[in-house]
Each structure stands twice: as structure tokens, then as C-alpha cells.
Amino acid sequence: MNEKQIRQSYEIARERYAALGVDTDKAIEILEKTPISLHCWQTDDVIGFESAAGLSGGIQTTGNYPGRARNIDEVRADVLFAKSLIAGNHRLNLHEIYGDFGGKFVDRDQVDVRYFESWIQWARENGLKLDFNSTSFGHPKSGDLSLANPDPAIRSFWIEHTKRCRRIADAMGKAQGDPCIMNIWVHDGSKDLTVERLRYRELLAASLDEILAENLPHMKSCVEAKLFGIGLESYTVGSMDFFEGYCASRKVIYTLDTGHYEPTENVSDKVASLLLFVPELMLHVSRPVRWDSDHVTIMNDQTLDLFKEIVRAGALHRAHIGLDYFDASINRIGAYVIGTRATQKCLLSALLEPLAKLREYEDTGRGFQRLALLEEAKSLPFGAVFDWFNYKNGVPVGEAFIPEIEKYEKNVTSKR
Ligand code: RNT
Ligand code: ZN
């Protein structure tokens, strides 16, 4: 498509939407200003730079497509390349195991901001803001229980780790003049039946209370609920009920990972309940296929509905958008770009909903009209608006990013 076609298609689309009371320029402007936190772990299958230990903690990558980033320079190069194919200003979400350790082993209860100075500088130079995650998995002390471990030595090791991570996040937030969002996900659970469900949850709540007690003004903490982990199928300490109660009573940000619920559950419906009781949401946009499989995010009904619920609730300013999937079976940069652009598509689609008209129908009891417009809205010229958004931001329009990724594969990732 050439510029003229993209522009003309957009102009027609703009008028079509305007007739329904939707301002497409405004929607694009909001989309441009909404950062997506790119998960660094899509570049290297969640391995990081701490040690060669494999992934544990109930999560797993599958696939062995060539070209995985093997070190900090490769991760950085891949992130920048992916970013060059995505419109807007985004953030980078780091896990603690991605510290710049310079080849030395730094244990998790010893980590501090020193190991993230080069990330802070690199992020600044490249116009990215940083988010952060403590890392409970992939360590000899991970076991089945970390922050909920009844053994005080192990529990305090992970408390110390998480406290240190919050201080690192605070330093990042201070340096970038914008709060760093730090996610706390612990895998704690049990493969088989447990008769201590309450006890571990009491311990997790107590550990988190201790961790979150330190006042750090440049960061925000969020905690992630989960249904189950691989090898931890019978019981999850940090279940949804646990974290709903925890976040509501402590006023902590709730992390909603779209893979972390029963496969038939309507995740988007949680938004309008959580928003009443927790201060903000952190989203881990993912694609569960039969289970928490972390397939690449696509523009599917679940993701569309998630963003519609946020926009309908007027809560975009209370939602931090991050990605969380890891597919090692296809070109990893391709996976990165598909999922990020799909997330933007879903958000744009939500921003283009003819909400005023739909609400008017609803308020006046016109059910047929509401359903008809919801249905017709699906075939409005959304694609022309998304193309224009990409075009005006200088990134490839439509499938034009495919050859770009092929080129990078040929010149860079296939040589690894
Ligand atoms: C695991 C959680 C968690 C991780 C990342 C790597 O089920 O979703 O967010 O995927 O922290
Ligand atoms: Zn997640």
C-alpha cells in the first residue's frame, strides 16, 4: 500500500466512525500515549543472565527455534529491533535475573541497583522506561514454596530478595522520573494434596506485608494471582481469591494475567469488579491455549473484551499494560512484534467503540438496537485506522513487518 491509499482509506474510515460519534484522531492519540511494557523474557525464553539453571517454578517455554538471545547485548539489540516495528513509546519489563552481573554470580539476596545501572542508562538513551520483577523461580532455593515457606531461613531469603528488588525498582523510577511498576509473582504451591492451605496463605500475607512496608516513592508494587503451575497443580498459595482479598484490604495493585484463570472463565469480567476495590491493575496480556500456555497474544475475543472493559470503565489511566508470553517455537522477535501489535489493535478497537450511542440505547431500554450496533461495530473499517496509526508513526504498515523480521533473522539471529 502506498501513502495515498493509506491516507484515503483512513479518511473514509474517519468519516464512517464520525457518523457514529467516534473521533478516530482522538483514539489514535490515546493509543500513541499508552505505553506497553515489553517483557524482556520473550527474547531468550525466560533464561536471564544469572546462571545456566533451567526454568522452574511451574512455568515452561516450549520450542527450540534458533536465534535465542544469549547475552545482555543480544537481548538489548532484539528489544530495540522489535521496538522499531511498533508505534508509540513503550517500556521494558525486566526480571531480576536479567541484571548486568558481568559474568559473576550474584545471589538473589545480594542483588542491588549496581547491577541495573547499565540498564537504566541504556533505557534512557533509547527512550524506554523500565518496569521490574522479582524472580522466585530458577534458583536452588526456589523449591515449591518461597515467600510462603515455613522454613524461616528460606522465607527470609526470599523476603530479602523481594525487598531489594523493590529498592532497585525505586532507583529505576527515580532515574526515569516515572514510577517503575514492580510485579511480585511467586510460584508457591503444591503438586499434591496439602492439609495446610491456610498456613501457607498466612505466611504469604505476612511476608508481603513485611516487604511492602518500606515506603518507596518512585515505584509501585503489584502482586500476581495464578490458577496453578506445572508440577504445582493441586494448590496455589497466591490464588485469585487470595490476591483479591490481599489487594483490596492492603490497597495494592492487582496483576491480572489473562492466562491465569480457568480456561472457560471470562477474564474481562473481572475488570469491572477489581476496579471497585483495588487501586490499579497491571495487565499481563497473554494467550492461554487450553492452559496457561503463554502463546503469543493475538487479536482474539478475550483480548478485545479485556480492553473494551477497561475503556468502558474509563480506567485506562488505572491500568498498566504489560505482555507476558514466551514462545520459543517461532521467530522470537516475530512473536514479540505480533503480540505487541495485537495488543495495540485490541486497545484501538476498544477506543473506537461507539460507546455514547451504545449507552444511549442501553439507557433507553433499546436492546435490539444495542445488540445491532455492537454487531455492526465489528465490521467498521478498523484496519484503515490501525494502518494510519502505524504509517504516521513511521513503522511498517500491515504485513510489511514480515520481511523486516526475515532480514533481521538472516543477518542477525540465524548467526547465533
Ligand atoms: C507466571 C507469571 C509470571 C511470569 C513472568 C516471567 O505464571 O505469569 O508473570 O510469566 O514473571
Ligand atoms: Zn504473568
Side-chain angles (χ1 to χ4, degrees), residues 41 46 55 57-59 95 133-134 137 183 185 224-226 228-229 255 257 260 284 286 292 294 323-326:
W41 52 93
V46 211
L55 202 49
I59 55 174
H95 247 284
N133 298 259
S134 51
F137 52 83
N183 187 49
W185 167 67
E224 182 171 2
K226 185 160 177 172
F228 79 96
T255 303
D257 182 312
H260 287 192
H284 274 191
S286 193
D292 182 26
D294 289 300
L323 305 171
D324 187 13
Y325 54 81
F326 20 97

Side-chain angles (χ1 to χ4, degrees), residues 361-374:
Y361 286 147
E362 180 150 336
D363 289 348
T364 50
R366 286 182 280 176
F368 142 69
Q369 291 87 335
R370 179 187 57 197
L371 186 60
L373 186 54
L374 279 169

Side-chain angles (χ1 to χ4, degrees), residues 291-316:
W291 64 286
D292 182 26
S293 58
D294 289 300
H295 279 68
V296 180
T297 297
I298 56 172
M299 184 182 186
N300 57 9
D301 286 347
Q302 288 80 354
T303 318
L304 282 163
D305 287 345
L306 175 71
F307 284 99
K308 278 185 190 150
E309 280 306 310
I310 289 168
V311 171
R312 288 171 184 170
L316 203 48

Side-chain angles (χ1 to χ4, degrees), residues 172-371:
M172 288 174 171
K174 190 168 183 202
Q176 66 200 17
D178 189 60
C180 169
I181 313 299
M182 186 184 118
N183 187 49
I184 303 175
W185 167 67
V186 292
H187 56 279
D188 296 37
S190 163
K191 179 181 172 81
D192 218 324
L193 303 179
T194 166
V195 292
E196 292 284 14
R197 284 179 182 259
L198 179 62
R199 183 176 178 211
Y200 302 129
R201 290 191 174 131
E202 280 169 349
L203 287 169
L204 180 56
S207 295
L208 288 171
D209 285 347
E210 184 182 333
I211 290 161
L212 299 179
E214 188 174 357
N215 178 31
L216 296 166
H218 307 289
M219 61 85 68
K220 293 182 180 186
S221 305
C222 44
V223 288
E224 182 171 2
K226 185 160 177 172
L227 183 61
F228 79 96
I230 307 168
L232 302 165
E233 291 88 354
S234 296
Y235 167 73
T236 302
V237 185
S239 61
M240 187 188 175
D241 314 70
F242 174 88
F243 276 123
E244 272 178 352
Y246 189 85
C247 292
S249 57
R250 271 66 164 186
K251 300 294 167 221
V252 172
I253 303 177
Y254 182 97
T255 303
L256 194 157
D257 182 312
T258 55
H260 287 192
Y261 300 88
E262 297 286 358
T264 54
E265 231 174 334
N266 184 357
V267 175
S268 58
D269 189 32
K270 299 182 187 309
V271 169
S273 292
L274 288 166
L275 282 171
L276 288 174
F277 305 110
V278 306
E280 291 173 17
L281 295 177
M282 172 75 212
L283 305 180
H284 274 191
V285 186
S286 193
R287 176 165 54 112
V289 175
R290 299 193 188 277
W291 64 286
D292 182 26
S293 58
D294 289 300
H295 279 68
V296 180
T297 297
I298 56 172
M299 184 182 186
N300 57 9
D301 286 347
Q302 288 80 354
T303 318
L304 282 163
D305 287 345
L306 175 71
F307 284 99
K308 278 185 190 150
E309 280 306 310
I310 289 168
V311 171
R312 288 171 184 170
L316 203 48
H317 64 292
R318 289 173 62 200
H320 305 276
I321 306 171
L323 305 171
D324 187 13
Y325 54 81
F326 20 97
D327 191 334
S329 73
I330 56 174
N331 181 302
R332 291 173 186 77
I333 319 286
Y336 223 168
V337 176
I338 292 169
T340 316
R341 288 173 65 127
T343 302
Q344 291 184 313
K345 283 185 189 171
C346 292
L347 174 56
L348 179 62
S349 167
L351 293 166
L352 293 175
E353 193 170 52
L355 206 47
K357 194 89 197 145
L358 286 165
R359 288 201 162 127
E360 184 194 319
Y361 286 147
E362 180 150 336
D363 289 348
T364 50
R366 286 182 280 176
F368 142 69
Q369 291 87 335
R370 179 187 57 197
L371 186 60

Side-chain angles (χ1 to χ4, degrees), residues 24-94:
T24 53
D25 290 329
K26 186 83 210 291
I28 288 177
E29 194 189 316
I30 297 171
L31 186 61
E32 281 167 352
K33 287 194 188 135
T34 307
I36 296 181
S37 202
L38 306 179
H39 54 319
C40 72
W41 52 93
Q42 168 56 36
T43 60
D44 78 331
D45 313 339
V46 211
I47 292 174
F49 316 126
E50 181 192 81
S51 74
L55 202 49
S56 70
I59 55 174
Q60 204 169 53
T61 47
T62 50
N64 53 3
Y65 195 83
R68 180 180 84 74
R70 297 159 302 178
N71 53 51
I72 204 162
D73 293 333
E74 291 179 355
V75 168
R76 287 176 182 168
D78 289 358
V79 168
L80 290 183
F81 179 64
K83 179 177 175 275
S84 75
L85 302 174
I86 301 161
N89 287 320
H90 301 294
R91 305 173 69 96
L92 181 67
N93 201 2
L94 290 175

